């Protein structure tokens, strides 16, 4: 399992988008992922850590399966 951290930019029904510390915007399918530390739901502007399997290639997340989304602050 790999991880990536960033600031949550957008939460949609099936996806979330975060901006990484190096400036990339990454959009992930969130279906089937566990959500941790998000009592009131995922909050835009908060830091999150995405746990995933598969291969992240630049901003291409097509081969990634998200297993957990952790809200950090």
């Amino acid at each position: 399992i790999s991880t990536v951290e960033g600031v949550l930019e957008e939460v949609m029904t099936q996806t979330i988008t975060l901006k990484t510390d190096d400036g990339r915007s990454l959009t992930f399918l969130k279906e089937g992922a566990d959500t941790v530390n998000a009592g009131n739901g995922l909050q835009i502007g908060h830091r999150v850590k995405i746990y995933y399997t598969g291969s992240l290639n630049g901003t291409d997340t097509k081969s990634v399966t998200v297993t957990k989304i952790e809200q950090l602050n």
Side-chain angles (χ1 to χ4, degrees):
I1 290 184
S2 302
T3 63
V4 63
E5 285 187 35
V7 175
L8 194 59
E9 291 187 311
E10 184 177 61
V11 179
M12 303 295 283
T13 303
Q14 297 181 356
T15 63
I16 63 167
T17 301
L18 64 93
K19 183 166 289 271
T20 62
D21 294 338
D22 63 5
R24 293 177 293 159
S25 279
L26 303 175
T27 300
F28 294 93
L29 285 172
K30 63 180 183 174
E31 185 177 346
D34 291 326
T35 304
V36 179
N37 295 336
N40 295 326
L42 294 167
Q43 303 291 311
I44 291 172
H46 287 230
R47 285 191 66 79
V48 293
K49 181 184 278 190
I50 306 290
Y51 296 78
Y52 65 91
T53 59
S55 179
L56 181 62
N57 185 13
T59 59
D60 181 0
T61 61
K62 286 185 298 206
S63 356
V64 167
T65 300
V66 175
T67 58
K68 183 167 71 172
I69 303 164
E70 180 180 10
Q71 190 158 278
L72 300 176
N73 62 359

